[in-house]
Amino acid sequence: MTGKADHEERRRQIAEALLRIADTEGLQSASMRAVATEAGVSLRLVQYYFTTKEGLLLDALARLGAQLQARMERWIGEARAPRAVVTAVLSCVLPTDAESRRITRTYAAYYTLVLNDPEVLAKQAAQPPAVLEGFLAKQLRAAREAGEIAPERDVEMAAAGLLAMVNGLGSSVLGGQRDGEQALAILRHHLDELFGGPGAG
Amino acid sequence: MTGKADHEERRRQIAEALLRIADTEGLQSASMRAVATEAGVSLRLVQYYFTTKEGLLLDALARLGAQLQARMERWIGEARAPRAVVTAVLSCVLPTDAESRRITRTYAAYYTLVLNDPEVLAKQAAQPPAVLEGFLAKQLRAAREAGEIAPERDVEMAAAGLLAMVNGLGSSVLGGQRDGEQALAILRHHLDELFGGPGAG
DNA sequence: ATTCGCATGGTACATGTGTATCACATGCAT
DNA sequence: ATGCATGTGATACACATGTACCATGCGAAT
């Protein structure tokens, strides 16, 4: 046989074709045929490897999530100081470079889909933000105990607010209202306000 | 003739049918036929009053914007104090009651559409946030000059951050991650932090 | 009474969609 | 050599969509 590596490779190839289309033209343009053409395979193959369109959408979403997580870990790097970690996590989801623009746009394309699908999709997509928020709160608490944040500050509230803010900032960048650098500046400003003042890069 | 009042009334009736569908089932389900059925008219009439689907979408979006603005003015009411105005504007766009949930969900439905349409739609939808942000900044500056906000605070940054935050909070509520009251609590917390402390109503 | 323009209904057409079906290859186990 | 599972192709089908076209009614101006 051709080996299971080829099988998974084909799936990856097709799913990434979907993500590419979702990024550039939106999910509504990601028909089975369009995905097949983009991936350079026949329509039948897309059907063969994913059976149904919902399966393809779900698989691609999972891959997108993995890509975002990989980007986060890359941005966190060897940072151990809570403030550096928080800054990395928040700023890496802002559409500032090509990769983040791609990921953000593609997530936005899925967003509308999730809103009107009480199916598995909603469950799959509502979990990551919650754990991320918990992670941020933990980091902020550590920073507070280290004296970098005023003791009276509520870290859960701050974490929720910051996460919502980068989400909204991302939307404004995608909507063409402002530029990625400006969004980053706004985020940095609020981080400076939360922590004592301007911190190291 | 039947009078121009009837004409405009028909347009309103049809456009609101679209908005109702966009709210409950998403814009992708808002086909010409579905809108016609929802409005209780024939497909031909939808064509007659709006010619093209794009025209219908644009008109409905304009009406949605008017509804949101009306809601804002209603929420601002007779409030004159900057803090009260800012609080009203920001909290009235959070999905806390039926009307705001409807408006927010419908805007979200349009959002994806705007992302992949460099047409008139983008221009039409990118303007309001900018003027709203300017309005908020002005209110915050007034509050700062009145001593309610620390003099070293940057009001433009704060306005941009708050607007992005309510936007992100709205998304999280729509995504089922939290409830409207919790979102409101997070917003209030950050307003308390920006202004000296808890304020009246 | 005729004519004209607006309003309305019904329906056709071309296209795009997801999915199903039939056909053929190719390689491995028996 | 034969049979069977996996991979691949081409095409058919049923349906939904936006838009265009033809016909009819009906009030008003001539």
Side-chain angles (χ1 to χ4, degrees), chain A residues 3-196:
Chain A
K4 267 201 172 174
D6 275 22
H7 192 82
E8 168 54 23
E9 174 57 18
R10 275 266 204 274
R11 283 177 65 94
R12 195 194 62 85
Q13 174 187 1
I14 295 173
E16 294 215 334
L18 201 212
L19 293 180
R20 228 172 304 138
I21 294 179
D23 172 29
T24 57
E25 309 174 52
L27 266 186
Q28 62 274 97
S29 301
S31 69
M32 290 292 219
R33 286 165 178 82
V35 171
T37 303
E38 171 75 24
V41 300
S42 75
L43 167 61
R44 180 66 181 86
L45 278 206
V46 180
Q47 282 189 265
Y48 179 74
Y49 286 103
F50 291 99
T51 316
T52 174
K53 185 177 187 180
E54 184 183 347
L56 172 57
L57 283 170
L58 249 58
D59 184 85
L61 179 57
R63 287 171 201 271
L64 182 63
Q67 291 174 11
L68 177 56
Q69 185 170 352
R71 179 182 167 90
M72 277 190 183
E73 288 167 3
R74 210 177 325 128
W75 273 57
I76 291 179
E78 300 108 15
R80 294 285 293 133
R83 174 166 189 173
V85 172
V86 168
T87 304
V89 167
L90 290 177
S91 54
C92 93
V93 309
L94 284 180
T96 52
D97 56 17
E99 186 191 36
S100 57
R101 253 192 309 272
R102 181 181 67 82
I103 294 181
T104 313
R105 266 208 298 257
T106 314
Y107 260 116
Y110 269 99
Y111 177 60
T112 310
L113 209 65
V114 171
L115 284 191
N116 301 100
D117 279 16
E119 308 169 42
V120 200
L121 227 157
K123 262 282 171 62
Q124 177 139 357
Q127 220 67 350
V131 326
L132 190 57
E133 193 172 311
F135 176 74
L136 282 178
K138 209 175 70 177
Q139 296 291 326
L140 292 182
R141 187 172 302 113
R144 191 179 55 183
E145 284 168 4
E148 301 181 56
I149 293 181
E152 73 273 12
R153 288 280 195 150
D154 184 325
V155 291
E156 276 89 5
M157 286 286 181
L162 284 171
L163 204 53
M165 193 191 301
V166 294
N167 205 358
L169 286 175
S171 295
S172 72
V173 173
L174 263 45
Q177 188 184 343
R178 89 186 98 230
D179 166 337
E181 289 306 316
Q182 296 170 322
L184 196 56
I186 296 171
L187 169 63
R188 286 222 181 92
H189 175 86
H190 284 84
L191 286 175
D192 287 346
E193 197 286 318
L194 175 61
F195 292 85

Side-chain angles (χ1 to χ4, degrees), chain B residues 42-73:
Chain B
S42 75
L43 168 61
R44 181 64 181 83
L45 276 206
V46 180
Q47 282 189 265
Y48 180 73
Y49 286 104
F50 292 98
T51 317
T52 174
K53 184 176 188 182
E54 184 184 347
L56 172 56
L57 284 169
L58 249 59
D59 185 83
L61 179 57
R63 287 171 201 272
L64 182 64
Q67 290 175 11
L68 177 56
Q69 185 170 352
R71 178 182 167 90
M72 277 189 184
E73 287 166 4

Side-chain angles (χ1 to χ4, degrees), chain B residues 125-181:
Chain B
Q127 221 67 351
V131 325
L132 190 58
E133 192 172 312
F135 175 74
L136 281 178
K138 209 176 69 177
Q139 296 291 325
L140 291 181
R141 188 172 300 112
R144 191 179 55 182
E145 284 167 4
E148 300 182 58
I149 293 181
E152 73 273 12
R153 287 281 194 147
D154 184 325
V155 292
E156 275 90 4
M157 285 287 181
L162 285 171
L163 204 53
M165 193 191 301
V166 294
N167 204 359
L169 285 175
S171 295
S172 71
V173 172
L174 263 44
Q177 188 183 343
R178 87 185 100 230
D179 127 8
E181 289 306 316

